[in-house]
Amino acid sequence: MIARWGTAVRHSAALAAVLSFVIPGLGHLLSGAVRRGALLALPVLALGIGGFVLLSSLGTARSLGLLLQPGVLLGIVALNAILLAYRLGAILDAYSLASLSGPARGGQATRLASLGLLGVVLATTMGMHAWIGFVGVKTYDTVTTVFAGAPTPSPSPQPTQPPSLGPSVTPLPTPAPTPRLTWDSNGRLDLLLVGGDAGPGRWSLRTDSMILLSVDLETGRAALFGIPRNLRNVPLPPESADAFACGCFPEIINGLWVYAAAHPEFFPGDDDRGYRALQGAIGVMTNRPIDGMVVVTLQGFVRLVDALGGIDITVPNNIYDYNYPLPDGSGNIQLYIPKGFHHMDGTMALAYARTRHQDNDYNRMQRQQQVLLAMRRTINPCTLVVRIPELLDIASETFWTNLDIADLPDILALGARVEPSKIASYYFWPPEIPERLNDAALAKIRLMTRSPFDAEPSAIPGPSGEPTPLPTPGPIC
């Protein structure tokens, strides 16, 4: 009996097909075709060993950055098509070999069930590779969009009056931003994170959320610098300093993007001149050679938080805004967020980060950094795999960066070393930094950005004089 059962298993065409679905060639080994099975399994083993060597030598983050290169993605799509044909051939060959290697057993119902199972295995294989190919093509489209040139602003009326001139400030001779990273030479990666606030009743884009992220290459320590949107007299880079007699932008900084985009005679660049002017001005103000910027719209922020499943925020004080404007421009509401722990969806997290009527822009900057760190804690690559297509849609429609995609492996590898619990937070706010900048204020800002990693994060005061709460690291997988 046992011998007959073993013979039946060895000559089961359906089982051979299933085994070759798991590992090509495994079904052949079951049927006794050892050499053919070994030859069919060799490519998969070689691919697995190559992937293991890549991860071991480069690390997960750097390997991911390498896989996201456009040329590599196209290669993956082509390889996926080849693997599909290879696996389908191995499954069909294993089924045929097992069917011919032994006497026919069972009746018509058994043979139909075996063919049905073969169909399921083939359909599953095609479905898996179709999904991989779809994600590969979508990822290629996303990275080439996100890392392409700046998005073209929608047609908008230009301002009728230029900003009025303000008092003079002394800009440092900082060179204009370059498209390549400079962090290899100065030991730090400096990125400008911008939240774009475009919506009904507003022409073009307002950069209402600006945070400078600086990461030390040696230690992995990071610092966030909150930049108030209402700073005035921010010095301009040399390439556009002649736009105003003061060599600065005399109006609030969140209007620089709009003004630069509308005045190409003063601000060089193509569709990216608004971003280029903003990056250059923040670089001169902080005396940091900013390596690039990442821009996200408010709508993209909401969608991203929702895709993450929400974020956990501990609200230190009651939030009440009697006139909070809805992001879609449909009207205003009364917003109330009580003190304590909250699991926020994208809409609530955006409201928490945007509201300012109950306090001021400086408290809002602190909330924005709190939300940013909460998102960093929440991201778990393993749980996000099934939402890859949705995340790719969000990225392609609402994100943009002027970083060079060739630098992505190094950036991701550095980001993996950053510990959320060691991220320091700084804010440029009164009375130390007045809204209307002067030489003394610029000197203080540049002193803050010179060595931001010397102080312990817990010792950095918030707007009320209390230490800024520290996040705890989030899960890896």
Side-chain angles (χ1 to χ4, degrees):
M1 167 100 51
I2 295 178
R4 287 198 303 271
W5 183 82
T7 301
V9 169
R10 188 167 62 252
H11 298 294
S12 170
L15 180 59
V18 171
L19 291 176
S20 284
F21 165 80
V22 177
I23 299 178
L26 196 58
H28 297 75
L29 296 178
L30 177 72
S31 301
V34 177
R35 180 176 297 181
R36 190 188 300 187
L39 289 175
L40 285 171
L42 188 60
V44 172
L45 294 176
L47 192 62
I49 293 173
F52 176 78
V53 171
L54 179 69
L55 289 173
S56 300
S57 58
L58 299 182
T60 303
R62 195 181 298 274
S63 298
L64 177 61
L66 179 62
L67 293 176
L68 290 176
Q69 300 301 304
V72 176
L73 286 170
L74 291 178
I76 291 175
V77 172
L79 178 61
N80 176 66
I82 295 173
L83 285 175
L84 172 60
Y86 154 69
R87 292 187 67 199
L88 290 177
I91 292 169
L92 289 171
D93 190 55
Y95 184 89
S96 176
L97 181 65
S99 298
L100 297 175
S101 63
R105 296 177 181 275
Q108 183 72 14
T110 302
R111 288 192 293 273
L112 289 176
S114 178
L115 286 172
L117 182 57
L118 173 64
V120 170
V121 171
L122 293 175
T124 302
T125 304
M126 289 187 287
M128 288 175 53
H129 285 272
W131 187 84
I132 293 173
F134 169 74
V135 170
V137 172
K138 202 172 187 64
T139 303
Y140 174 84
D141 290 339
T142 298
V143 297
T144 53
T145 299
V146 171
F147 286 85
T152 304
S154 56
S156 308
Q158 296 189 3
T160 55
Q161 296 292 333
S164 57
L165 298 181
S168 176
V169 295
T170 306
L172 293 181
T174 304
T178 59
R180 295 293 299 177
L181 293 175
T182 59
W183 46 316
D184 285 337
S185 60
N186 63 38
R188 281 163 63 178
L189 172 66
D190 294 282
L191 297 178
L192 182 60
L193 312 179
V194 176
D197 188 0
R202 300 177 187 143
W203 64 275
S204 200
L205 177 78
R206 296 195 320 182
T207 52
D208 273 4
S209 174
M210 292 167 284
I211 298 174
L212 177 62
L213 167 65
S214 188
V215 185
D216 183 74
L217 301 186
E218 182 178 355
T219 64
R221 291 285 298 273
L224 296 171
F225 298 91
I227 302 169
R229 70 188 189 105
N230 54 0
L231 284 181
R232 299 173 184 267
N233 298 338
V234 174
L236 295 171
E239 64 180 15
S240 54
D242 292 338
F244 301 98
C246 64
C248 65
F249 186 65
E251 289 298 305
I252 60 177
I253 187 63
N254 83 321
L256 176 57
W257 189 99
V258 170
Y259 189 84
H263 292 81
E265 68 274 19
F266 295 118
F267 296 89
D270 296 318
D271 292 335
D272 67 338
R273 73 172 58 89
Y275 297 110
R276 179 169 169 173
L278 182 64
Q279 178 176 327
I282 300 300
V284 175
M285 180 183 73
T286 59
N287 196 29
R288 294 301 309 167
I290 297 179
D291 299 300
M293 63 193 307
V294 179
V295 182
V296 60
T297 66
L298 297 186
Q299 294 81 3
F301 171 83
V302 171
R303 294 175 61 190
L304 179 58
V305 172
D306 287 338
L308 293 176
I311 57 176
D312 294 332
I313 294 285
T314 299
V315 179
N317 300 295
N318 292 335
I319 299 293
Y320 178 70
D321 188 338
Y322 61 91
N323 201 30
Y324 174 74
L326 294 171
D328 60 4
S330 60
N332 296 346
I333 62 171
Q334 291 189 9
L335 174 70
Y336 175 64
I337 306 176
K339 174 181 178 180
F341 175 84
H342 294 269
H343 182 76
M344 299 184 178
D345 62 8
T347 301
M348 182 60 70
L350 177 62
Y352 180 69
R354 288 185 72 210
T355 179
R356 66 178 185 273
H357 291 154
Q358 77 286 337
D359 40 40
N360 51 50
D361 276 328
Y362 305 105
N363 293 89
R364 182 170 77 157
M365 284 192 305
Q366 189 180 39
R367 291 195 297 272
Q368 289 171 352
Q369 293 195 18
Q370 186 184 7
V371 168
L372 191 65
L373 293 175
M375 293 177 66
R376 169 64 179 84
R377 296 195 307 274
T378 303
I379 294 175
N380 183 346
C382 293
T383 60
L384 293 177
V385 169
V386 296
R387 309 199 73 168
I388 286 177
E390 178 185 358
L391 293 171
L392 291 174
D393 280 337
I394 294 172
S396 63
E397 295 172 8
T398 59
F399 281 79
W400 172 80
T401 180
N402 61 355
L403 291 168
D404 194 314
I405 194 171
D407 295 311
L408 190 58
D410 292 332
I411 294 174
L412 292 181
L414 178 61
R417 295 174 51 210
V418 174
E419 298 182 33
S421 60
K422 294 184 178 180
I423 298 178
S425 295
Y426 294 85
Y427 308 91
F428 303 150
W429 48 34
E432 290 80 11
I433 308 298
E435 291 183 4
R436 194 174 292 274
L437 296 180
N438 51 36
D439 287 340
L442 287 175
K444 291 180 180 179
I445 289 175
R446 291 161 182 167
L447 182 62
M448 293 170 67
T449 59
R450 182 185 304 169
S451 302
F453 314 110
D454 294 343
E456 289 297 323
S458 59
I460 298 168
S464 62
E466 296 296 326
T468 299
L470 296 179
T472 55
I476 302 272
C477 242

